[in-house]
């Protein structure tokens, strides 16, 4: 299937050609016709699946169809949980909409509001916002949402995790009742389902299971190591020059800073990115990582959410997350838009329960890298003892149709089993 089979207009097709996109992704194939038809929609998909274009393209097309009507204020609102994701969504509207003449603005907290207020004065058609700054500007009478025709709630589950759900409800209360609503979420916990039941009218459900695809294309392995040896193991691993661009995850902001400094001292170019850094410091770190100036970006989960950097060759879980879904989000950073990648996880004695939860969720035993110099003397945990495997025998080498592969296909994106 081609983008033109989705009845997209020429200005959008030209922009997509310039982006180098050949074919729509599954979420785009499923969502675009319904959004074009004006339906409400629930999309179960995470970043990396092409979901931004899945909503941005049909929204731009609907706006372009009525571009000649007199401008009467904002027409589209996209709510995003993080600044990084908001600016990436803004960039996507700019890229896909470059031949439409439609305008967008992006607003988020942590930076001065004046440039954003000026951007709002230029009468954008589309506003991409994080909830806090939006409410702030609404309170000051600088943004009015009474002309919104389409509302997109992106990464709804992350909004919930970050404690934004009340802010989201306040924003929704200011929207016109008659509107098109699109809700995207990687997982569908019951709170999100409740919210969806209240804000969507007769929605279409579309679902892609990127986690399964992602998990399949990523070579994963786990390194059993004592806590005190993790840094030495990381430096040892980073001795491999094929690790060109590595995203390393720590649990805490302090841990991210400390590790980045230690790596720098070991002459490994590294920077930390987390929520305590200023917006400009985050942007700088991201730009350095994108350009290849920084080889290792040490990140916490919230800062990394939505980071869209192509060619991350390795994701390294310096500490395992306590929520298994987070593992899937993290390792998905190394397999953007169908590329393959490698994910290493360090697991100390205290983290074995986390590893068990992850393996339960992905329905896959993560192969054990047994050939490294910092092997934990505690030995392999009982759960993995029967099946040691080296990092050279990664998961993606499972044969098609093997029991392992069949098991993996059943992974349902972390939603509760029914
Ligand atoms: P998203 O899920 O929206 O964060 O998109 C993930 C990445 O896929 C971004 O880098 C997009 O530029 C890219 N992308 C989106 N749609 C396509 C497509 N149809 N073909 C190739 N790349 C795409």
């Amino acid at each position: 299937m081609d983008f033109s089979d989705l009845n997209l207009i020429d200005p959008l097709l030209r922009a997509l050609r310039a982006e180098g996109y050949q074919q729509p992704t599954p979420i785009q194939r499923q969502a675009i016709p319904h959004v074009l038809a004006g339906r409400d929609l629930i999309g179960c998909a995470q970043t990396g699946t092409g979901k931004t274009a899945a909503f941005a393209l049909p929204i731009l097309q609907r706006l372009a169809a009525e571009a000649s009507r007199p401008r009467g204020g904002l027409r589209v609102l996209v709510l995003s949980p993080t600044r990084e994701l908001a600016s990436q969504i803004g960039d996507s509207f700019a890229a896909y909409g470059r031949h439409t003449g439609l305008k967008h603005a992006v607003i988020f907290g942590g930076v001065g509001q004046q440039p954003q207020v000026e951007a709002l004065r230029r009468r954008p058609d589309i506003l991409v916002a994080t909830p806090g700054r939006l409410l702030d500007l609404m309170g000051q009478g600088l943004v009015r949402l009474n002309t919104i025709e389409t509302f997109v709630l992106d990464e709804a589950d992350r909004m919930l995790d970050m404690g934004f759900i009340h802010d989201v409800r306040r924003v929704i209360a200011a929207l016109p009742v008659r509107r098109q609503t699109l809700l995207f979420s990687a997982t569908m916990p019951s709170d999100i389902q409740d919210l969806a039941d209240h804000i969507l009218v007769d929605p279409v459900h579309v679902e892609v299971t990127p986690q399964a695809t992602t998990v399949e294309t990523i070579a994963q392995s786990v390194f059993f190591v004592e806590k005190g040896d993790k840094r030495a193991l990381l430096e040892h691993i980073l001795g491999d020059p094929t690790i060109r661009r590595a995203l390393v995850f720590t649990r805490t902001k302090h841990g991210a800073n400390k590790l980045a400094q230690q790596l720098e001292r070991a002459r490994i170019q590294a920077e930390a990115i987390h929520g305590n850094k200023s917006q400009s410091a985050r942007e700088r770190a991201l730009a350095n990582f994108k350009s290849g100036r920084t080889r290792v970006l040490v990140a916490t989960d919230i800062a990394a959410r939505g980071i869209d950097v192509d060619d991350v060759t390795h994701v390294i879980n310096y500490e395992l997350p306590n929520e298994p879904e987070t593992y899937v989000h993290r390792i998905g950073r190394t397999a953007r838009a169908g590329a393959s990648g490698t994910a290493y996880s360090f697991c100390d004695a205290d983290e074995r329960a986390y590893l068990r939860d992850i393996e339960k969720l992905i329905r896959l035993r993560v192969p054990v890298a047994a050939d490294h110099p910092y092997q934990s003397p505690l030995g392999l945990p009982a759960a993995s003892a029967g099946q040691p495997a080296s990092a050279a025998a990664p998961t993606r080498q499972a044969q098609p149709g093997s029991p392992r592969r069949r098991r993996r296909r059943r992974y349902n994106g972390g939603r509760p089993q029914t």
Side-chain angles (χ1 to χ4, degrees):
M1 181 191 259
D2 202 30
F3 277 108
S4 52
D5 299 324
L6 292 170
N7 294 323
L8 292 177
I9 54 177
D10 187 59
L12 296 179
L13 293 176
R14 276 193 285 144
L16 291 170
R17 274 197 296 275
E19 290 298 301
Y21 297 178
Q22 314 267 333
Q23 285 182 330
T25 64
I27 186 88
Q28 292 162 4
R29 276 201 294 276
Q30 292 178 53
I32 288 174
H34 295 298
V35 182
L36 274 180
R39 293 284 303 268
D40 281 6
L41 179 136
I42 299 185
C44 210
Q46 66 167 103
T47 46
T49 56
K51 80 176 155 62
T52 313
F55 63 77
L57 290 167
I59 283 177
L60 286 163
Q61 179 148 333
R62 281 169 65 82
L63 292 183
E66 293 178 57
S68 55
R69 68 173 218 175
R71 283 229 150 96
L74 289 170
R75 299 175 64 189
V76 174
L77 172 68
V78 183
L79 266 194
S80 144
T82 65
R83 313 157 182 190
E84 285 80 10
L85 184 63
S87 33
Q88 279 166 20
I89 295 170
D91 293 346
S92 297
F93 273 107
Y96 309 143
R98 65 168 73 115
H99 302 300
T100 61
L102 294 161
K103 289 193 287 192
H104 78 278
V106 182
I107 62 174
F108 46 72
V111 292
Q113 75 169 41
Q114 203 46 38
Q116 299 177 359
V117 172
E118 278 155 27
L120 287 166
R121 287 213 183 99
R122 291 194 282 274
R123 312 192 68 161
D125 305 279
I126 300 151
L127 180 64
V128 185
T130 54
R133 176 57 60 94
L134 176 62
L135 286 168
D136 195 355
L137 295 182
M138 284 164 63
Q140 297 176 51
L142 296 167
V143 180
R144 249 188 281 283
L145 301 182
N146 58 341
T147 50
I148 294 292
E149 298 160 28
T150 302
F151 168 57
V152 182
L153 181 58
D154 201 12
E155 302 212 338
D157 53 350
R158 183 59 39 164
M159 294 275 192
L160 194 75
D161 285 356
M162 292 174 70
F164 292 159
I165 203 71
H166 297 296
D167 285 352
V168 170
R169 286 185 197 279
R170 284 174 59 203
V171 170
I172 291 169
L175 293 169
V177 177
R178 266 179 65 94
R179 58 167 196 264
Q180 180 180 29
T181 304
L182 315 174
L183 181 150
F184 290 88
S185 196
T187 56
M188 277 294 161
S190 57
D191 295 29
I192 295 298
Q193 194 56 56
D194 284 352
L195 180 73
D197 291 345
H198 281 96
I199 67 170
L200 296 148
V201 179
D202 188 24
V204 182
H205 289 251
V206 300
E207 184 167 333
V208 289
T209 47
Q211 293 95 333
T213 325
T214 304
V215 168
E216 280 196 3
T217 56
I218 296 170
Q220 301 165 68
S221 39
V222 58
F223 293 69
F224 290 109
V225 56
E226 285 192 9
K227 210 189 288 297
D229 285 335
K230 282 189 174 183
R231 184 164 59 85
L233 174 61
L234 182 62
E235 287 175 17
H236 168 76
I237 286 176
L238 290 171
D240 174 356
T242 64
I243 305 184
R244 284 180 289 107
R245 198 168 282 156
L247 191 53
V248 175
F249 284 95
T250 60
R251 252 198 306 269
T252 65
K253 298 168 196 167
H254 174 67
N257 277 341
K258 200 165 113 195
L259 185 60
Q261 283 160 8
Q262 287 166 334
L263 291 174
E264 278 285 322
R265 258 181 254 131
R267 297 181 192 287
I268 297 168
Q269 309 115 310
E271 279 188 82
I273 188 166
H274 55 67
N276 279 3
K277 296 243 170 191
S278 69
Q279 179 65 12
S280 55
R282 287 200 215 186
E283 279 171 9
R284 214 171 30 244
L286 204 53
N288 286 341
F289 188 54
K290 278 187 181 167
S291 70
R293 257 198 303 279
T294 304
R295 182 173 166 226
V296 180
L297 191 64
V298 187
T300 56
D301 287 300
I302 286 177
R305 178 81 184 190
I307 287 182
D308 181 17
V309 179
D310 292 334
D311 291 338
V312 172
T313 58
H314 291 69
V315 164
I316 301 175
N317 291 306
Y318 192 78
E319 284 150 339
L320 281 179
N322 53 1
E323 288 174 5
E325 287 85 1
T326 303
Y327 173 83
V328 179
H329 290 309
R330 286 183 181 183
I331 70 168
R333 308 285 111 204
T334 180
R336 311 296 289 166
S340 60
T342 302
Y344 295 148
S345 298
F346 295 179
C347 179
D348 64 34
D350 295 338
E351 294 173 310
R352 290 199 173 151
Y354 301 157
L355 179 65
R356 272 195 297 278
D357 288 347
I358 289 165
E359 292 184 328
K360 220 171 356 173
L361 177 74
I362 64 175
R363 296 171 180 242
L364 172 70
R365 177 131 323 143
V366 180
V368 179
D371 51 358
H372 67 86
Y374 299 97
Q375 184 70 53
S376 161
L378 293 169
L380 302 177
S384 298
Q387 302 192 355
S390 80
T395 51
R396 68 156 174 250
Q397 290 178 357
Q399 293 305 306
S402 71
R404 173 184 289 167
R405 198 173 177 108
R406 279 201 300 274
R407 269 202 307 280
R408 229 178 302 146
R409 286 226 176 89
R410 291 206 304 269
Y411 171 56
N412 71 348
R415 288 171 298 287
Q417 304 287 322
T418 47

